[in-house]
Amino acid sequence: GKDGIAYVINRDNLGHLGDEHAVQRFKVAKGEVNVGAVYWKSAARGGLVYLWGQDDALHQYTFTDGRFNPEPVAIGAATSAYPGGILSLSANGEKDGILWANAALTEHGNSHINAPGVLRAYDANDVTHELWNSNQDADRDTPGRISKNAPPTVVNGKVYLASFGTLPVATGALYVYGLKPTAPAP
């Protein structure tokens, strides 16, 4: 939530107001966590949960027997302004996981405007290992202004990302990313 706290709740006893019935409660970000967590069961590492709060870095936690280890097992190097990283994951079952993040660039401040964004891809077993980001070839790959709460969508080997485009007004755009061909185009 906006206080940077994660909760594990008992689905059979959700309680009422407050968090006295929470199974677990702990701080996961410096500031607000405006977007949802992503869970993946990795063949190599078991249950993993990813969270990326505002003005913070991507955090990776283990999740076993219905509880978090409150100490992150990995923290990414990049930070994101508002709203934080908007996450999704692609995998081949429990293998070959890639965590995708739609994140705002921090050098544009932390206002609630649609700041310029970057699409990032991480090794889902270790988020300290960034595989690719859209600023590596900014002229070709930059997605423009971030569309808050729009996670990257992965389908048939392509990544789709909604954006407000590159113009100063909210024109809207859909960016599609995929593997570059290995041979030159005919």
Side-chain angles (χ1 to χ4, degrees):
K2 292 194 174 189
D3 55 1
I5 303 290
Y7 300 89
V8 177
I9 56 176
N10 179 344
R11 69 178 178 205
D12 297 323
N13 184 11
L14 296 177
H16 196 267
L17 299 176
D19 64 357
E20 68 273 3
H21 294 288
V23 174
Q24 188 177 14
R25 173 189 198 278
F26 65 101
K27 187 86 169 155
V28 293
K30 292 182 209 174
E32 298 178 2
V33 177
N34 294 300
V35 293
V38 168
Y39 171 84
W40 180 52
K41 185 176 180 190
S42 162
R45 302 195 71 186
L48 297 170
V49 175
Y50 311 88
L51 287 159
W52 196 337
Q54 173 181 323
D55 295 326
D56 209 343
L58 170 61
H59 287 68
Q60 177 181 3
Y61 297 92
T62 56
F63 190 76
T64 309
D65 297 326
R67 294 185 69 84
F68 282 92
N69 176 348
E71 291 298 319
V73 292
I75 298 174
T79 58
S80 178
Y82 177 83
I86 307 159
L87 309 174
S88 64
L89 191 133
S90 62
N92 183 11
E94 296 181 353
K95 298 180 189 163
D96 305 322
I98 299 174
L99 184 75
W100 299 92
N102 178 12
L105 295 173
T106 54
E107 60 265 20
H108 294 278
N110 196 26
S111 69
H112 286 238
I113 63 161
N114 299 21
V118 59
L119 176 62
R120 298 181 182 279
Y122 294 93
D123 177 346
N125 279 308
D126 180 5
V127 298
T128 64
H129 182 214
E130 185 178 78
L131 303 171
W132 173 86
N133 75 62
S134 60
N135 281 348
Q136 290 173 340
D137 188 341
D139 291 335
R140 183 189 66 207
D141 297 334
T142 298
R145 297 187 173 286
I146 191 170
S147 178
K148 298 177 285 199
N149 303 317
T153 301
V154 184
V155 179
N156 295 328
K158 294 198 173 23
V159 180
Y160 298 85
L161 184 63
S163 167
F164 284 109
T166 57
L167 299 175
V169 295
T171 56
L174 177 65
Y175 289 80
V176 181
Y177 298 89
L179 294 175
K180 293 189 311 185
T182 55

